Amino acid sequence: MRITYNDTDYIYEILNSSAINKETTELHISFDGQEIVLMKDEKNVWVQNGGEYKVEPELAQALGRSVSLRFRM
């Protein structure tokens, strides 16, 4: 999939797409050649959960929203 963030285009792949539904709170994404894990916090905001490769919090939120819209979560 593709996302534009701060005037830059990124391509990412959802690694656990078969398990995504309205109750999904964790996403595994291949982003920029690295796997990142996004989780919904108590405020239903997508945040990165650990990992060596870090992305900006706003980018993590944008990725989570992009997936949510695509899968109508």
Side-chain angles (χ1 to χ4, degrees):
M1 296 177 61
R2 187 175 174 171
I3 187 170
T4 301
Y5 177 76
N6 283 345
D7 298 324
T8 304
D9 290 333
Y10 297 98
I11 296 175
Y12 67 95
E13 180 181 354
I14 304 165
L15 301 176
N16 64 331
S17 62
S18 63
I20 294 177
N21 58 38
K22 290 189 182 278
E23 287 79 38
T24 299
T25 59
E26 183 174 307
L27 298 172
H28 294 262
I29 295 176
S30 175
F31 180 78
D32 203 23
Q34 302 288 324
E35 182 177 347
I36 61 171
V37 178
L38 302 177
M39 296 190 74
K40 273 190 180 178
D41 67 8
E42 63 278 348
K43 297 178 184 175
N44 281 333
V45 174
W46 290 103
V47 295
Q48 186 174 2
N49 183 27
E52 292 180 21
Y53 184 77
K54 301 290 184 193
V55 297
E56 297 176 29
E58 294 82 13
L59 178 55
Q61 176 66 9
L63 287 165
R65 283 183 184 162
S66 175
V67 174
S68 294
L69 289 171
R70 172 76 168 106
F71 286 88
R72 302 194 190 283
M73 296 171 60

